[in-house]
Amino acid sequence: ENLVAEEKKEPLDLDFLLKQLEKLNVEQKKALKLISEGFSYKEISKFLGKPINTIRTIIRRARLKLSGQNKQF
């Protein structure tokens, strides 16, 4: 008996992904890329030369923009 739920694999919609990424500014793209590669907020702060709280804000706004919850940022 398999107790682990089988993950449903859906094909990646590249067009959708590219359209979503177009919503982001350059800083947001850089920050999300670094987060996805496993870097910490502190490391990203050093890489981009910005205070850590600014990095947190950049990432939070990018996530909101991608989720469609806030179109202002």
Side-chain angles (χ1 to χ4, degrees):
E1 183 177 332
N2 187 358
L3 299 177
V4 178
E6 210 172 296
E7 191 174 321
K8 203 176 198 182
K9 305 247 182 198
E10 295 182 24
L12 179 64
D13 184 346
L14 190 56
D15 289 333
F16 174 77
L17 180 60
L18 293 174
K19 284 178 186 173
Q20 292 298 100
L21 290 175
E22 286 176 5
K23 297 177 183 180
L24 304 179
N25 65 40
V26 173
E27 277 187 335
Q28 291 170 330
K29 289 176 187 176
K30 286 180 185 178
L32 286 181
K33 182 176 185 324
L34 292 168
I35 280 287
S36 74
E37 292 174 358
F39 290 99
S40 70
Y41 286 89
K42 186 176 181 179
E43 291 169 322
I44 295 169
S45 172
K46 288 182 181 181
F47 292 151
L48 300 182
K50 301 204 177 273
I52 194 165
N53 284 334
T54 301
I55 297 302
R56 287 186 177 116
T57 299
I58 289 168
I59 292 170
R60 184 180 74 248
R61 288 179 177 175
R63 288 177 174 160
L64 285 172
K65 197 180 284 188
L66 290 175
S67 71
Q69 293 180 8
N70 196 328
K71 295 177 177 34
Q72 180 181 5
F73 305 111

